[in-house]
Every structure is written in structure tokens, then in C-alpha cells.
Amino acid sequence: MPTGVAPTDVAPSGAAPDLGVRLRARRRELQLTLQTVADRAGLSVGFISQIERGITQPSLASLASVAQVLDVPMAHFLSQPGGEQRFTVAGERPVYRISEGASQFERLSSEFAGNTLHSLVIHEPPGHRIAPIRHAGEEMVFVLDGEITVEVEGEQRVLRRGDSVHHPSDQVHSSWNHTDTEATLLWVGTFDVFGGPSETDLSDGVPTDTRRDT
Amino acid sequence: MPTGVAPTDVAPSGAAPDLGVRLRARRRELQLTLQTVADRAGLSVGFISQIERGITQPSLASLASVAQVLDVPMAHFLSQPGGEQRFTVAGERPVYRISEGASQFERLSSEFAGNTLHSLVIHEPPGHRIAPIRHAGEEMVFVLDGEITVEVEGEQRVLRRGDSVHHPSDQVHSSWNHTDTEATLLWVGTFDVFGGPSETDLSDGVPTDTRRDT
DNA sequence: CAAGATTTTTTAGCCAAACTAAAATTATTC
DNA sequence: GAATAATTTTAGTTTGGCTAAAAAATCTTG
């Protein structure tokens, strides 16, 4: 089996710059030959080779076949990690607040090309209430301290310290702090809340409380 | 502008079953016409219409153009949420342990078709050490209690209560509990640790400590 | 090290589907 | 109801997704 890759073999493609590189990397992780992947995916060996070297791009159907053979979601080939500001320290993260009396946020997640996870520590003031919202993506909330009430698709629950909720964000969801003390939450989602590529993100992908404040 | 969609218009496509539905939903969220999206993406209006109704599938290049216009990652069109077991309660979650003396896990994340987020509360015993590993995906760790040492791509840091780390998982990473008390961590990643679609996931996408124990 | 086997790359295509322009239909607005 | 806007349909064109087979590169084994 040949080892080593000639990086210059890989031509960049605008749609998924790293598709070929990632495909080859994953294939090699699994120690599969081009022929094996091709056979299992129902494609030709030459085609897989050309995809890996960036010479051609697969159709969505072909990409789905290959992804299944390599046991990863298609998105695996469509993102590109980098590396940036990976560690945060409690008490040293900047705290953001949109308006007086609103929730405060500390950002945990770092930004690298193609990153999917976005995370915040949210300080939710007493009585703060968020109107129902739904949007693309997926999110979870873990209660670090205090209590809140969460409602997802009509299902209402009180969450206490250590409790959590995880749901696709296109289910109608809302939340509020029903107590008279601040609640502290860890929010993790698959959409960016701040500093997205455009302002459109802000109006569409914000957590419920931020939406309320705008 | 026409309202309402005839669901029967949308033929299922194997590669990305909800691509068209999600594309139309997103376009309507942004209140854009087919013509506007087509113009901005450099494609024809009829083609966008056919994609939305599942009659045809775009190439990756075309999908990238459309995704950019609609300000979402391509992956947005390639997943499909559902709904399942969304709430967890501290103290009531089953605790998993692979072997005596190893870390204990409580699962937070729910499973629904196409879900991306996977989360665990991990109880890391004193002295427990994980060999360096790298794999596909992305992950973050938030320290709920105690202290651990984390190393990512040679960068070593002690994380204390409230601290966090977030990095692509294909960077070499390891961690250990350097103290003499248990540490409690919240781990969130974009790959499944247990109960994946195949056993291959287990050997490749596990958090560092599980890997150590096997 | 050489021979054989295996794997990958290259080449020369085919053809289906990615995509078009324009007409027809539907929906919206005034 | 008429005009306008938005979407769908239709009848194509073209190009790139994908092939089989040959050539080249790499690996394995004695």
C-alpha cells in the first residue's frame, strides 16, 4: 500500500476545499484501499482517486455513498478546522450584555473554519422571559446553577442544577427564569449567536433570550 | 407571492432527503424570492425551484453558492432533526462505567435523526490518564468541578472549575486528572461515543478516556 | 535486490443529469 | 378585474460525473 501524499496533487475546489483531503485522510484512518471504498460505494476506483486529488467533485448521491462507507456524515467532508483560542478561563472571559437587565453572556467556543459547536455561559436574571422561537440548528442547555423553566414543543419542564435539555432548534422553544435569583446556564448550539458571517445570523439564529432583547 | 407548499411536490432523494424542504424553508425565513436567490447564486430560477421540489439535485458547487446566499453552511441542508428524550435530570441519569477505576459517564444528549451534538457528564477519577488521540469531529470540555490537565497540539493547560477548551478533534489531544479528587466535566462533541451507527465509530470517535479504557 | 502483486493514477471516452431560457401557470397587489 | 410578481413547466444544451482499461507507482516477499 502506498504511503504519503503529494499535496500538490490536490487541486483546490471552491465548493468544498478540503473534500478530497478529508476523504483520503478518513480512508487511511480506516486503512481502506481506493478499490474497497469504490466497491462498497458502487463507484469506480479511478473516480475515488480523482475526488481525493481534487480533480473532480462527486454528486451529492455519490458523496452520500462514500460517506456511508467511511462511516461519517457528509458534513465531515464539507468543513475545515483550523485552530484558534481554544482555552477559556472562568472569570477571565469577557462578559457581554445587550441591554440593561438582560442576560449576560460569556463565550466559550473558539472560531475555526467550519466549526460547528458554539457555546456560551449565560447568566439569566430573575423573571427574564423569552418569547417562543424556532430556527434551524440544534442546541442544548445544561443548568450550572439556579433554576429555569423550559418549554419545547409544548412540553414544559423546570430545570435545576445539573439538569439539561437537548433538542433540534426548529422545534418551538422558549424559556424563563421563574425564580428571584440569577440562573447560570451552559448553552451549546450548532449555530452562531454573535459574530456570524452576516447580520442575518443574528436575527435568525440567536438563543431565545437574545432574541427577546432585540 | 405564493404561500403554502404542496408536500407531494417534493420527491425524496436518497442523498439528502430534506435538502429541498430545508432550502425552501430557509429561503422563506429570509423572505427571499426564487429569483433573488437564483440571481445571487448565479443559477437559474427554474433550477432553484426544481431543487426545492426535489426534482433535481445540485452539484456541490451549486449547493455551495446557494448556501452562501442563504448564509448557512452546506451541512444545513444535509441533516434532518426529529425529536426524542430531550430533558435529563441530575441524579436520575444512568451512569455508565466501562471498567473498575475508570471514568463514569452520564449521557445528556438525545438522539434524533441527523443530530449533531453529543454530550456527556464525565466523572474523571484521580490520576486517570488518557493517551493522546486524534479523530474526526469537534469537541469541547467545560469543567463543572475539580481540575484536569488538557493538552491539545502540544499546548498544555490546567483547567479548573468553569474553564473550558474547544478544538477540532483531529488535533492531537489528551487529558488527565492530576489531582487526588474526582473531576466532573461536561463534554460536548460532534461525534457519538456510544450507540453509533456502527462499531467503527467506537474505535474512532470516542473521547480520550474511553479509548484508554478499551 | 528483483519479481510479482497490489494500489493508485491516467486516459479517453459516454451519457445522464445539472442547468438553461422562455413560456405557461399561479399567486399577489392595487 | 387587470397588472405585476413569483413559481412551475418544458424542451432542450452541455458539461462534468463517472466509467473501463491501460499505465504507472508503490508495496510485499523471497
Side-chain angles (χ1 to χ4, degrees):
Chain A
M1 184 188 299
T3 59
V5 185
T8 54
D9 280 353
V10 182
S13 64
D18 263 358
L19 190 155
V21 172
R22 287 179 151 261
L23 196 159
R24 180 163 283 186
R26 179 61 179 159
R27 178 172 66 81
R28 284 180 171 163
E29 270 178 22
L30 299 180
Q31 297 185 324
L32 301 176
T33 63
L34 283 171
Q35 187 65 255
T36 299
V37 172
D39 290 342
R40 292 181 185 171
L43 301 168
S44 72
V45 63
F47 187 49
I48 304 294
S49 175
Q50 286 181 332
I51 297 171
E52 289 190 352
R53 289 171 296 113
I55 292 171
T56 188
Q57 293 206 9
S59 66
L60 280 168
S62 298
L63 183 61
S65 294
V66 172
Q68 182 168 30
V69 167
L70 297 181
D71 210 17
V72 288
M74 279 196 274
H76 176 76
F77 301 118
L78 304 176
S79 57
Q80 176 169 357
E84 207 66 52
Q85 194 71 296
R86 51 175 76 101
F87 296 101
T88 71
V89 179
E92 289 182 20
R93 293 181 289 254
V95 179
Y96 300 102
R97 181 191 297 183
I98 290 184
S99 63
E100 201 57 40
S103 306
Q104 295 184 331
F105 309 99
E106 302 172 42
R107 188 179 200 124
L108 303 184
S109 45
S110 62
E111 296 297 319
F112 44 85
N115 72 294
T116 302
L117 294 183
H118 303 277
S119 47
L120 300 170
V121 171
I122 302 176
H123 305 281
E124 184 105 7
H128 200 252
R129 175 178 279 266
I130 313 307
I133 187 175
R134 60 193 289 261
H135 47 77
E138 181 183 345
E139 65 198 277
M140 64 160 291
V141 172
F142 181 90
V143 179
L144 296 175
D145 209 10
E147 282 182 33
I148 59 168
T149 304
V150 172
E151 183 172 315
V152 183
E153 288 281 292
E155 187 182 4
Q156 186 173 118
R157 289 284 290 274
V158 173
L159 296 189
R160 299 183 178 89
R161 182 191 170 97
D163 296 351
S164 70
V165 60
H166 172 208
H167 63 92
S169 305
D170 66 0
Q171 295 181 335
V172 176
H173 53 284
S174 63
S175 66
W176 55 97
N177 182 348
H178 60 269
T179 73
D180 56 4
T181 58
E182 178 179 283
T184 308
L185 314 171
L186 177 60
W187 177 93
V188 184
T190 60
F191 47 91
D192 198 6
V193 180
F194 304 117
S198 78
E199 285 300 305
T200 312
D201 272 349
L202 189 60
S203 63
D204 196 64
V206 297
T208 55
D209 43 358
T210 311
R211 180 64 181 262
R212 184 70 169 86
D213 293 337
T214 56
Chain B
M1 181 188 299
T3 59
V5 184
T8 53
D9 279 353
V10 183
S13 64
D18 263 358
L19 190 155
V21 173
R22 288 179 153 259
L23 196 160
R24 179 164 284 187
R26 179 62 179 159
R27 180 174 63 84
R28 285 181 171 162
E29 273 178 20
L30 299 180
Q31 296 184 326
L32 301 178
T33 64
L34 282 171
Q35 187 65 256
T36 299
V37 172
D39 289 342
R40 292 181 186 169
L43 301 167
S44 72
V45 63
F47 187 47
I48 305 294
S49 173
Q50 286 180 334
I51 296 171
E52 289 191 353
R53 290 172 294 115
I55 292 172
T56 188
Q57 291 206 10
S59 66
L60 280 167
S62 299
L63 184 61
S65 294
V66 171
Q68 182 167 28
V69 167
L70 298 179
D71 208 16
V72 289
M74 280 198 272
H76 175 77
F77 301 117
L78 304 176
S79 57
Q80 177 170 355
E84 208 65 51
Q85 194 71 295
R86 51 176 78 102
F87 296 101
T88 70
V89 179
E92 290 182 22
R93 294 180 290 252
V95 181
Y96 300 101
R97 181 190 298 182
I98 292 185
S99 63
E100 201 58 39
S103 307
Q104 295 184 330
F105 308 101
E106 301 171 44
R107 188 177 201 125
L108 302 184
S109 46
S110 60
E111 297 298 317
F112 45 85
N115 73 294
T116 303
L117 294 183
H118 304 279
S119 48
L120 301 170
V121 171
I122 302 176
H123 305 282
E124 185 106 7
H128 200 254
R129 176 178 278 265
I130 313 307
I133 188 177
R134 60 192 289 263
H135 48 78
E138 181 182 346
E139 64 199 279
M140 64 160 292
V141 172
F142 181 91
V143 179
L144 296 175
D145 209 9
E147 283 182 32
I148 59 167
T149 303
V150 173
E151 182 171 317
V152 184
E153 289 281 290
E155 186 180 7
Q156 187 174 119
R157 291 286 289 273
V158 173
L159 297 189
R160 299 181 179 89
R161 181 189 170 96
D163 295 353
S164 70
V165 60
H166 173 209
H167 62 91
S169 305
D170 64 0
Q171 295 181 335
V172 177
H173 53 283
S174 62
S175 65
W176 56 96
N177 182 349
H178 60 268
T179 73
D180 56 5
T181 58
E182 179 178 284
T184 308
L185 315 172
L186 176 61
W187 177 93
V188 184
T190 59
F191 46 91
D192 199 5
V193 182
F194 306 117
S198 78
E199 284 300 304
T200 312
D201 270 349
L202 189 59
S203 63
D204 196 65
V206 295
T208 54
D209 41 0
T210 311
R211 181 61 181 264
R212 185 70 170 90
D213 294 336
T214 55

